[in-house]
Amino acid sequence: KLCYNVIVNPKESKYRQVKLQNPKIESALVKVPNALDVMLLLGWTKEEDSLLLKSNVQLTMAQVRDVQSAFQTLKKQQK
């Protein structure tokens, strides 16, 4: 969802910064094994208590689909 929001709203800076202390973000991203590593591979950077995606980094729908697919696979494995 985070990456999708960046693609749909590429000029909106609010979608390019994610506070890791946000309860939803913490449960969906911080506490999920390897999830932060995936975000970093996509171009996000960790700065203090946030993830940032600089304006010169562009994401693709193919990347979003890959992340969504991997997330669904992880959810199935956890059950």
Side-chain angles (χ1 to χ4, degrees), residues 14-61:
K14 70 179 181 180
Y15 294 118
R16 292 181 169 270
Q17 181 174 3
V18 179
K19 293 189 185 277
L20 296 173
Q21 296 169 341
N22 177 307
K24 280 185 154 181
I25 299 301
E26 188 174 24
S27 68
L29 188 63
V30 177
K31 292 184 178 180
V32 176
N34 302 317
L36 282 176
D37 294 332
V38 170
M39 297 299 280
L40 296 174
L41 287 171
L42 289 170
W44 295 80
T45 58
K46 188 173 180 187
E47 297 188 16
E48 295 182 25
D49 64 342
S50 298
L51 280 182
L52 300 172
L53 188 66
K54 295 183 179 174
S55 60
N56 64 332
V57 177
Q58 299 301 314
L59 300 175
T60 66
M61 283 306 289

mmCIF file of all heavy atoms in Angstrom, residues 14-61:
data_model
loop_
_atom_site.group_PDB
_atom_site.id
_atom_site.type_symbol
_atom_site.label_atom_id
_atom_site.label_comp_id
_atom_site.label_asym_id
_atom_site.label_seq_id
_atom_site.Cartn_x
_atom_site.Cartn_y
_atom_site.Cartn_z
ATOM 1 N N LYS A 14 3.853 13.565 1.347
ATOM 2 C CA LYS A 14 3.352 12.853 2.528
ATOM 3 C C LYS A 14 3.375 11.336 2.333
ATOM 4 O O LYS A 14 3.426 10.583 3.301
ATOM 5 C CB LYS A 14 1.949 13.319 2.909
ATOM 6 C CG LYS A 14 0.861 12.917 1.941
ATOM 7 C CD LYS A 14 -0.483 13.420 2.428
ATOM 8 C CE LYS A 14 -1.605 13.014 1.494
ATOM 9 N NZ LYS A 14 -2.889 13.511 1.974
ATOM 10 N N TYR A 15 3.356 10.871 1.090
ATOM 11 C CA TYR A 15 3.414 9.435 0.832
ATOM 12 C C TYR A 15 4.845 8.923 0.757
ATOM 13 O O TYR A 15 5.070 7.727 0.657
ATOM 14 C CB TYR A 15 2.674 9.091 -0.459
ATOM 15 C CG TYR A 15 1.198 9.352 -0.373
ATOM 16 C CD1 TYR A 15 0.583 10.279 -1.200
ATOM 17 C CD2 TYR A 15 0.417 8.682 0.553
ATOM 18 C CE1 TYR A 15 -0.772 10.526 -1.117
ATOM 19 C CE2 TYR A 15 -0.940 8.933 0.649
ATOM 20 C CZ TYR A 15 -1.529 9.846 -0.177
ATOM 21 O OH TYR A 15 -2.872 10.080 -0.080
ATOM 22 N N ARG A 16 5.791 9.814 0.804
ATOM 23 C CA ARG A 16 7.201 9.425 0.703
ATOM 24 C C ARG A 16 7.897 9.404 2.056
ATOM 25 O O ARG A 16 9.091 9.228 2.131
ATOM 26 C CB ARG A 16 7.931 10.372 -0.255
ATOM 27 C CG ARG A 16 7.461 10.193 -1.678
ATOM 28 C CD ARG A 16 8.190 11.103 -2.636
ATOM 29 N NE ARG A 16 7.901 10.729 -4.000
ATOM 30 C CZ ARG A 16 8.611 9.856 -4.714
ATOM 31 N NH1 ARG A 16 9.655 9.277 -4.191
ATOM 32 N NH2 ARG A 16 8.271 9.581 -5.953
ATOM 33 N N GLN A 17 7.148 9.597 3.117
ATOM 34 C CA GLN A 17 7.695 9.504 4.470
ATOM 35 C C GLN A 17 6.749 8.691 5.329
ATOM 36 O O GLN A 17 5.544 8.957 5.365
ATOM 37 C CB GLN A 17 7.906 10.879 5.091
ATOM 38 C CG GLN A 17 8.499 10.786 6.477
ATOM 39 C CD GLN A 17 8.858 12.139 7.056
ATOM 40 O OE1 GLN A 17 8.620 13.176 6.445
ATOM 41 N NE2 GLN A 17 9.432 12.133 8.232
ATOM 42 N N VAL A 18 7.319 7.708 6.010
ATOM 43 C CA VAL A 18 6.526 6.815 6.848
ATOM 44 C C VAL A 18 7.150 6.776 8.232
ATOM 45 O O VAL A 18 8.335 6.476 8.373
ATOM 46 C CB VAL A 18 6.516 5.383 6.243
ATOM 47 C CG1 VAL A 18 5.728 4.447 7.124
ATOM 48 C CG2 VAL A 18 5.968 5.409 4.833
ATOM 49 N N LYS A 19 6.358 7.094 9.223
ATOM 50 C CA LYS A 19 6.854 7.040 10.606
ATOM 51 C C LYS A 19 6.756 5.602 11.111
ATOM 52 O O LYS A 19 5.675 5.026 11.163
ATOM 53 C CB LYS A 19 6.057 7.984 11.492
ATOM 54 C CG LYS A 19 6.283 9.442 11.127
ATOM 55 C CD LYS A 19 5.659 10.352 12.147
ATOM 56 C CE LYS A 19 5.790 11.790 11.718
ATOM 57 N NZ LYS A 19 7.060 12.365 12.039
ATOM 58 N N LEU A 20 7.890 5.041 11.468
ATOM 59 C CA LEU A 20 7.945 3.643 11.884
ATOM 60 C C LEU A 20 7.265 3.396 13.225
ATOM 61 O O LEU A 20 6.939 2.258 13.549
ATOM 62 C CB LEU A 20 9.403 3.175 11.930
ATOM 63 C CG LEU A 20 10.120 3.181 10.581
ATOM 64 C CD1 LEU A 20 11.595 2.863 10.762
ATOM 65 C CD2 LEU A 20 9.468 2.216 9.616
ATOM 66 N N GLN A 21 7.020 4.453 13.988
ATOM 67 C CA GLN A 21 6.357 4.303 15.279
ATOM 68 C C GLN A 21 4.834 4.279 15.153
ATOM 69 O O GLN A 21 4.145 3.977 16.126
ATOM 70 C CB GLN A 21 6.794 5.418 16.217
ATOM 71 C CG GLN A 21 8.269 5.357 16.534
ATOM 72 C CD GLN A 21 8.761 6.603 17.242
ATOM 73 O OE1 GLN A 21 8.123 7.660 17.199
ATOM 74 N NE2 GLN A 21 9.902 6.503 17.885
ATOM 75 N N ASN A 22 4.324 4.576 13.979
ATOM 76 C CA ASN A 22 2.884 4.496 13.746
ATOM 77 C C ASN A 22 2.444 3.048 14.001
ATOM 78 O O ASN A 22 3.037 2.116 13.456
ATOM 79 C CB ASN A 22 2.594 4.906 12.302
ATOM 80 C CG ASN A 22 1.139 4.788 11.928
ATOM 81 O OD1 ASN A 22 0.525 3.751 12.102
ATOM 82 N ND2 ASN A 22 0.600 5.844 11.377
ATOM 83 N N PRO A 23 1.418 2.834 14.831
ATOM 84 C CA PRO A 23 1.010 1.462 15.173
ATOM 85 C C PRO A 23 0.692 0.577 13.958
ATOM 86 O O PRO A 23 1.070 -0.593 13.932
ATOM 87 C CB PRO A 23 -0.230 1.665 16.042
ATOM 88 C CG PRO A 23 -0.059 3.030 16.624
ATOM 89 C CD PRO A 23 0.647 3.834 15.574
ATOM 90 N N LYS A 24 0.021 1.127 12.959
ATOM 91 C CA LYS A 24 -0.289 0.331 11.752
ATOM 92 C C LYS A 24 0.985 -0.043 11.003
ATOM 93 O O LYS A 24 1.143 -1.173 10.547
ATOM 94 C CB LYS A 24 -1.215 1.101 10.813
ATOM 95 C CG LYS A 24 -2.654 1.076 11.193
ATOM 96 C CD LYS A 24 -3.464 1.768 10.112
ATOM 97 C CE LYS A 24 -4.868 1.250 10.093
ATOM 98 N NZ LYS A 24 -5.671 1.890 9.052
ATOM 99 N N ILE A 25 1.882 0.912 10.864
ATOM 100 C CA ILE A 25 3.144 0.669 10.163
ATOM 101 C C ILE A 25 3.990 -0.321 10.955
ATOM 102 O O ILE A 25 4.593 -1.233 10.393
ATOM 103 C CB ILE A 25 3.915 1.987 9.948
ATOM 104 C CG1 ILE A 25 3.100 2.951 9.085
ATOM 105 C CG2 ILE A 25 5.285 1.727 9.353
ATOM 106 C CD1 ILE A 25 2.737 2.441 7.714
ATOM 107 N N GLU A 26 3.988 -0.158 12.254
ATOM 108 C CA GLU A 26 4.776 -1.050 13.095
ATOM 109 C C GLU A 26 4.319 -2.501 12.953
ATOM 110 O O GLU A 26 5.135 -3.406 12.774
ATOM 111 C CB GLU A 26 4.695 -0.606 14.558
ATOM 112 C CG GLU A 26 5.635 -1.347 15.461
ATOM 113 C CD GLU A 26 5.629 -0.787 16.872
ATOM 114 O OE1 GLU A 26 4.634 -0.168 17.284
ATOM 115 O OE2 GLU A 26 6.641 -0.988 17.557
ATOM 116 N N SER A 27 3.013 -2.722 12.977
ATOM 117 C CA SER A 27 2.519 -4.099 12.888
ATOM 118 C C SER A 27 2.635 -4.673 11.483
ATOM 119 O O SER A 27 2.867 -5.864 11.312
ATOM 120 C CB SER A 27 1.075 -4.183 13.381
ATOM 121 O OG SER A 27 0.210 -3.500 12.508
ATOM 122 N N ALA A 28 2.497 -3.849 10.474
ATOM 123 C CA ALA A 28 2.519 -4.341 9.096
ATOM 124 C C ALA A 28 3.908 -4.372 8.476
ATOM 125 O O ALA A 28 4.136 -5.092 7.508
ATOM 126 C CB ALA A 28 1.606 -3.480 8.227
ATOM 127 N N LEU A 29 4.838 -3.610 9.035
ATOM 128 C CA LEU A 29 6.141 -3.474 8.396
ATOM 129 C C LEU A 29 7.299 -3.765 9.349
ATOM 130 O O LEU A 29 8.148 -4.611 9.061
ATOM 131 C CB LEU A 29 6.272 -2.052 7.830
ATOM 132 C CG LEU A 29 7.460 -1.743 6.963
ATOM 133 C CD1 LEU A 29 7.436 -2.585 5.707
ATOM 134 C CD2 LEU A 29 7.462 -0.276 6.591
ATOM 135 N N VAL A 30 7.311 -3.107 10.474
ATOM 136 C CA VAL A 30 8.442 -3.206 11.391
ATOM 137 C C VAL A 30 8.536 -4.605 12.004
ATOM 138 O O VAL A 30 9.627 -5.170 12.102
ATOM 139 C CB VAL A 30 8.359 -2.134 12.498
ATOM 140 C CG1 VAL A 30 9.482 -2.279 13.494
ATOM 141 C CG2 VAL A 30 8.367 -0.743 11.876
ATOM 142 N N LYS A 31 7.414 -5.171 12.380
ATOM 143 C CA LYS A 31 7.417 -6.472 13.059
ATOM 144 C C LYS A 31 7.407 -7.662 12.095
ATOM 145 O O LYS A 31 7.481 -8.801 12.540
ATOM 146 C CB LYS A 31 6.233 -6.556 14.009
ATOM 147 C CG LYS A 31 6.362 -5.604 15.183
ATOM 148 C CD LYS A 31 5.239 -5.758 16.167
ATOM 149 C CE LYS A 31 5.443 -4.825 17.349
ATOM 150 N NZ LYS A 31 4.369 -4.932 18.327
ATOM 151 N N VAL A 32 7.321 -7.411 10.812
ATOM 152 C CA VAL A 32 7.316 -8.487 9.816
ATOM 153 C C VAL A 32 8.758 -8.754 9.391
ATOM 154 O O VAL A 32 9.440 -7.837 8.917
ATOM 155 C CB VAL A 32 6.447 -8.108 8.592
ATOM 156 C CG1 VAL A 32 6.525 -9.176 7.521
ATOM 157 C CG2 VAL A 32 5.010 -7.870 9.022
ATOM 158 N N PRO A 33 9.226 -9.983 9.556
ATOM 159 C CA PRO A 33 10.614 -10.287 9.194
ATOM 160 C C PRO A 33 10.928 -9.906 7.743
ATOM 161 O O PRO A 33 10.148 -10.195 6.835
ATOM 162 C CB PRO A 33 10.705 -11.807 9.389
ATOM 163 C CG PRO A 33 9.610 -12.143 10.341
ATOM 164 C CD PRO A 33 8.517 -11.144 10.068
ATOM 165 N N ASN A 34 12.043 -9.241 7.571
ATOM 166 C CA ASN A 34 12.579 -8.839 6.258
ATOM 167 C C ASN A 34 11.789 -7.745 5.541
ATOM 168 O O ASN A 34 12.178 -7.320 4.460
ATOM 169 C CB ASN A 34 12.728 -10.050 5.339
ATOM 170 C CG ASN A 34 13.631 -11.101 5.937
ATOM 171 O OD1 ASN A 34 14.674 -10.781 6.489
ATOM 172 N ND2 ASN A 34 13.233 -12.354 5.868
ATOM 173 N N ALA A 35 10.702 -7.274 6.105
ATOM 174 C CA ALA A 35 9.889 -6.261 5.423
ATOM 175 C C ALA A 35 10.661 -4.947 5.255
ATOM 176 O O ALA A 35 10.610 -4.334 4.184
ATOM 177 C CB ALA A 35 8.583 -6.023 6.166
ATOM 178 N N LEU A 36 11.361 -4.526 6.278
ATOM 179 C CA LEU A 36 12.147 -3.290 6.166
ATOM 180 C C LEU A 36 13.255 -3.449 5.126
ATOM 181 O O LEU A 36 13.546 -2.514 4.379
ATOM 182 C CB LEU A 36 12.753 -2.893 7.512
ATOM 183 C CG LEU A 36 11.808 -2.226 8.499
ATOM 184 C CD1 LEU A 36 12.510 -1.981 9.825
ATOM 185 C CD2 LEU A 36 11.249 -0.938 7.957
ATOM 186 N N ASP A 37 13.850 -4.634 5.070
ATOM 187 C CA ASP A 37 14.895 -4.890 4.074
ATOM 188 C C ASP A 37 14.351 -4.737 2.655
ATOM 189 O O ASP A 37 15.018 -4.188 1.783
ATOM 190 C CB ASP A 37 15.484 -6.288 4.254
ATOM 191 C CG ASP A 37 16.238 -6.440 5.563
ATOM 192 O OD1 ASP A 37 16.763 -5.422 6.069
ATOM 193 O OD2 ASP A 37 16.299 -7.560 6.078
ATOM 194 N N VAL A 38 13.133 -5.208 2.434
ATOM 195 C CA VAL A 38 12.508 -5.076 1.120
ATOM 196 C C VAL A 38 12.292 -3.607 0.779
ATOM 197 O O VAL A 38 12.590 -3.172 -0.338
ATOM 198 C CB VAL A 38 11.170 -5.851 1.057
ATOM 199 C CG1 VAL A 38 10.397 -5.528 -0.218
ATOM 200 C CG2 VAL A 38 11.426 -7.348 1.162
ATOM 201 N N MET A 39 11.830 -2.849 1.745
ATOM 202 C CA MET A 39 11.608 -1.422 1.498
ATOM 203 C C MET A 39 12.920 -0.724 1.147
ATOM 204 O O MET A 39 12.970 0.110 0.243
ATOM 205 C CB MET A 39 10.960 -0.763 2.718
ATOM 206 C CG MET A 39 9.578 -1.302 3.046
ATOM 207 S SD MET A 39 8.376 -1.069 1.732
ATOM 208 C CE MET A 39 7.937 0.634 2.007
ATOM 209 N N LEU A 40 13.986 -1.092 1.833
ATOM 210 C CA LEU A 40 15.290 -0.497 1.545
ATOM 211 C C LEU A 40 15.765 -0.885 0.141
ATOM 212 O O LEU A 40 16.321 -0.052 -0.581
ATOM 213 C CB LEU A 40 16.315 -0.921 2.599
ATOM 214 C CG LEU A 40 16.030 -0.437 4.032
ATOM 215 C CD1 LEU A 40 17.038 -1.034 5.006
ATOM 216 C CD2 LEU A 40 15.999 1.076 4.122
ATOM 217 N N LEU A 41 15.514 -2.117 -0.259
ATOM 218 C CA LEU A 41 15.875 -2.554 -1.608
ATOM 219 C C LEU A 41 15.095 -1.790 -2.683
ATOM 220 O O LEU A 41 15.587 -1.587 -3.790
ATOM 221 C CB LEU A 41 15.639 -4.057 -1.773
ATOM 222 C CG LEU A 41 16.634 -4.959 -1.061
ATOM 223 C CD1 LEU A 41 16.173 -6.412 -1.109
ATOM 224 C CD2 LEU A 41 18.015 -4.818 -1.667
ATOM 225 N N LEU A 42 13.886 -1.376 -2.340
ATOM 226 C CA LEU A 42 13.062 -0.611 -3.288
ATOM 227 C C LEU A 42 13.490 0.849 -3.394
ATOM 228 O O LEU A 42 13.009 1.570 -4.251
ATOM 229 C CB LEU A 42 11.587 -0.682 -2.887
ATOM 230 C CG LEU A 42 10.913 -2.026 -3.092
ATOM 231 C CD1 LEU A 42 9.542 -2.027 -2.426
ATOM 232 C CD2 LEU A 42 10.797 -2.347 -4.574
ATOM 233 N N GLY A 43 14.381 1.278 -2.511
ATOM 234 C CA GLY A 43 14.870 2.654 -2.593
ATOM 235 C C GLY A 43 14.546 3.522 -1.398
ATOM 236 O O GLY A 43 14.974 4.677 -1.326
ATOM 237 N N TRP A 44 13.765 3.006 -0.453
ATOM 238 C CA TRP A 44 13.478 3.750 0.764
ATOM 239 C C TRP A 44 14.750 3.809 1.599
ATOM 240 O O TRP A 44 15.578 2.907 1.537
ATOM 241 C CB TRP A 44 12.360 3.075 1.562
ATOM 242 C CG TRP A 44 11.031 3.049 0.881
ATOM 243 C CD1 TRP A 44 10.633 2.188 -0.086
ATOM 244 C CD2 TRP A 44 9.924 3.921 1.101
ATOM 245 N NE1 TRP A 44 9.346 2.461 -0.475
ATOM 246 C CE2 TRP A 44 8.884 3.522 0.243
ATOM 247 C CE3 TRP A 44 9.719 4.998 1.953
ATOM 248 C CZ2 TRP A 44 7.660 4.172 0.208
ATOM 249 C CZ3 TRP A 44 8.487 5.643 1.922
ATOM 250 C CH2 TRP A 44 7.475 5.231 1.052
ATOM 251 N N THR A 45 14.904 4.867 2.380
ATOM 252 C CA THR A 45 16.035 4.977 3.293
ATOM 253 C C THR A 45 15.504 5.149 4.709
ATOM 254 O O THR A 45 14.444 5.749 4.919
ATOM 255 C CB THR A 45 16.942 6.181 2.939
ATOM 256 O OG1 THR A 45 16.169 7.379 2.964
ATOM 257 C CG2 THR A 45 17.577 6.013 1.578
ATOM 258 N N LYS A 46 16.241 4.600 5.656
ATOM 259 C CA LYS A 46 15.839 4.724 7.058
ATOM 260 C C LYS A 46 16.578 5.897 7.660
ATOM 261 O O LYS A 46 17.802 5.970 7.608
ATOM 262 C CB LYS A 46 16.158 3.439 7.816
ATOM 263 C CG LYS A 46 15.607 3.429 9.212
ATOM 264 C CD LYS A 46 15.804 2.093 9.868
ATOM 265 C CE LYS A 46 15.233 2.155 11.279
ATOM 266 N NZ LYS A 46 15.527 0.959 12.035
ATOM 267 N N GLU A 47 15.815 6.831 8.202
ATOM 268 C CA GLU A 47 16.378 8.012 8.840
ATOM 269 C C GLU A 47 15.668 8.219 10.169
ATOM 270 O O GLU A 47 14.493 8.545 10.182
ATOM 271 C CB GLU A 47 16.252 9.226 7.928
ATOM 272 C CG GLU A 47 17.035 9.047 6.632
ATOM 273 C CD GLU A 47 17.090 10.292 5.782
ATOM 274 O OE1 GLU A 47 16.797 11.375 6.303
ATOM 275 O OE2 GLU A 47 17.421 10.151 4.602
ATOM 276 N N GLU A 48 16.420 7.973 11.233
ATOM 277 C CA GLU A 48 15.899 8.047 12.599
ATOM 278 C C GLU A 48 14.686 7.139 12.751
ATOM 279 O O GLU A 48 14.811 5.941 12.633
ATOM 280 C CB GLU A 48 15.621 9.488 12.993
ATOM 281 C CG GLU A 48 16.882 10.335 13.050
ATOM 282 C CD GLU A 48 16.626 11.745 13.484
ATOM 283 O OE1 GLU A 48 15.624 11.997 14.177
ATOM 284 O OE2 GLU A 48 17.443 12.614 13.129
ATOM 285 N N ASP A 49 13.501 7.703 12.964
ATOM 286 C CA ASP A 49 12.311 6.873 13.198
ATOM 287 C C ASP A 49 11.381 6.844 11.986
ATOM 288 O O ASP A 49 10.188 6.601 12.123
ATOM 289 C CB ASP A 49 11.562 7.375 14.433
ATOM 290 C CG ASP A 49 11.009 8.779 14.258
ATOM 291 O OD1 ASP A 49 11.475 9.480 13.345
ATOM 292 O OD2 ASP A 49 10.119 9.169 15.030
ATOM 293 N N SER A 50 11.941 7.069 10.796
ATOM 294 C CA SER A 50 11.116 7.116 9.583
ATOM 295 C C SER A 50 11.777 6.380 8.424
ATOM 296 O O SER A 50 12.984 6.176 8.417
ATOM 297 C CB SER A 50 10.891 8.564 9.148
ATOM 298 O OG SER A 50 10.196 9.287 10.117
ATOM 299 N N LEU A 51 10.937 6.025 7.458
ATOM 300 C CA LEU A 51 11.407 5.589 6.155
ATOM 301 C C LEU A 51 11.114 6.718 5.189
ATOM 302 O O LEU A 51 10.024 7.293 5.214
ATOM 303 C CB LEU A 51 10.658 4.342 5.675
ATOM 304 C CG LEU A 51 11.075 2.998 6.221
ATOM 305 C CD1 LEU A 51 10.240 1.897 5.582
ATOM 306 C CD2 LEU A 51 12.542 2.729 6.004
ATOM 307 N N LEU A 52 12.082 7.038 4.329
ATOM 308 C CA LEU A 52 11.914 8.108 3.357
ATOM 309 C C LEU A 52 12.188 7.572 1.956
ATOM 310 O O LEU A 52 13.102 6.776 1.750
ATOM 311 C CB LEU A 52 12.873 9.260 3.639
ATOM 312 C CG LEU A 52 12.748 9.948 4.989
ATOM 313 C CD1 LEU A 52 13.888 10.938 5.182
ATOM 314 C CD2 LEU A 52 11.423 10.653 5.112
ATOM 315 N N LEU A 53 11.412 8.035 0.999
ATOM 316 C CA LEU A 53 11.650 7.733 -0.405
ATOM 317 C C LEU A 53 11.891 9.066 -1.101
ATOM 318 O O LEU A 53 10.981 9.891 -1.225
ATOM 319 C CB LEU A 53 10.462 7.006 -1.027
ATOM 320 C CG LEU A 53 10.679 6.483 -2.439
ATOM 321 C CD1 LEU A 53 11.733 5.378 -2.450
ATOM 322 C CD2 LEU A 53 9.382 5.966 -3.027
ATOM 323 N N LYS A 54 13.128 9.290 -1.496
ATOM 324 C CA LYS A 54 13.491 10.568 -2.110
ATOM 325 C C LYS A 54 12.738 10.777 -3.417
ATOM 326 O O LYS A 54 12.356 9.824 -4.096
ATOM 327 C CB LYS A 54 14.992 10.638 -2.320
ATOM 328 C CG LYS A 54 15.724 10.627 -0.997
ATOM 329 C CD LYS A 54 17.195 10.769 -1.148
ATOM 330 C CE LYS A 54 17.817 10.773 0.246
ATOM 331 N NZ LYS A 54 19.238 10.780 0.222
ATOM 332 N N SER A 55 12.538 12.031 -3.770
ATOM 333 C CA SER A 55 11.718 12.379 -4.937
ATOM 334 C C SER A 55 12.315 11.885 -6.253
ATOM 335 O O SER A 55 11.589 11.713 -7.224
ATOM 336 C CB SER A 55 11.478 13.888 -4.998
ATOM 337 O OG SER A 55 12.715 14.564 -5.098
ATOM 338 N N ASN A 56 13.614 11.630 -6.282
ATOM 339 C CA ASN A 56 14.220 11.147 -7.525
ATOM 340 C C ASN A 56 14.075 9.630 -7.698
ATOM 341 O O ASN A 56 14.434 9.087 -8.728
ATOM 342 C CB ASN A 56 15.693 11.555 -7.602
ATOM 343 C CG ASN A 56 16.534 10.923 -6.513
ATOM 344 O OD1 ASN A 56 16.048 10.611 -5.434
ATOM 345 N ND2 ASN A 56 17.811 10.743 -6.794
ATOM 346 N N VAL A 57 13.523 8.947 -6.690
ATOM 347 C CA VAL A 57 13.306 7.500 -6.771
ATOM 348 C C VAL A 57 11.892 7.247 -7.275
ATOM 349 O O VAL A 57 10.921 7.722 -6.693
ATOM 350 C CB VAL A 57 13.505 6.819 -5.394
ATOM 351 C CG1 VAL A 57 13.211 5.338 -5.482
ATOM 352 C CG2 VAL A 57 14.903 7.086 -4.878
ATOM 353 N N GLN A 58 11.800 6.516 -8.368
ATOM 354 C CA GLN A 58 10.505 6.191 -8.952
ATOM 355 C C GLN A 58 10.246 4.695 -8.807
ATOM 356 O O GLN A 58 11.118 3.879 -9.099
ATOM 357 C CB GLN A 58 10.479 6.587 -10.435
ATOM 358 C CG GLN A 58 10.681 8.069 -10.680
ATOM 359 C CD GLN A 58 9.625 8.929 -10.007
ATOM 360 O OE1 GLN A 58 8.445 8.626 -10.083
ATOM 361 N NE2 GLN A 58 10.053 9.981 -9.345
ATOM 362 N N LEU A 59 9.064 4.353 -8.370
ATOM 363 C CA LEU A 59 8.658 2.961 -8.244
ATOM 364 C C LEU A 59 7.768 2.587 -9.422
ATOM 365 O O LEU A 59 7.152 3.457 -10.037
ATOM 366 C CB LEU A 59 7.908 2.744 -6.931
ATOM 367 C CG LEU A 59 8.679 3.058 -5.651
ATOM 368 C CD1 LEU A 59 7.782 2.909 -4.438
ATOM 369 C CD2 LEU A 59 9.895 2.162 -5.529
ATOM 370 N N THR A 60 7.689 1.297 -9.707
ATOM 371 C CA THR A 60 6.847 0.827 -10.804
ATOM 372 C C THR A 60 5.729 -0.056 -10.265
ATOM 373 O O THR A 60 5.836 -0.611 -9.163
ATOM 374 C CB THR A 60 7.669 0.006 -11.822
ATOM 375 O OG1 THR A 60 8.118 -1.203 -11.176
ATOM 376 C CG2 THR A 60 8.864 0.806 -12.341
ATOM 377 N N MET A 61 4.691 -0.216 -11.058
ATOM 378 C CA MET A 61 3.593 -1.105 -10.671
ATOM 379 C C MET A 61 4.081 -2.547 -10.585
ATOM 380 O O MET A 61 3.587 -3.318 -9.768
ATOM 381 C CB MET A 61 2.428 -0.986 -11.652
ATOM 382 C CG MET A 61 1.586 0.266 -11.451
ATOM 383 S SD MET A 61 0.964 0.479 -9.750
ATOM 384 C CE MET A 61 -0.245 -0.822 -9.663
#
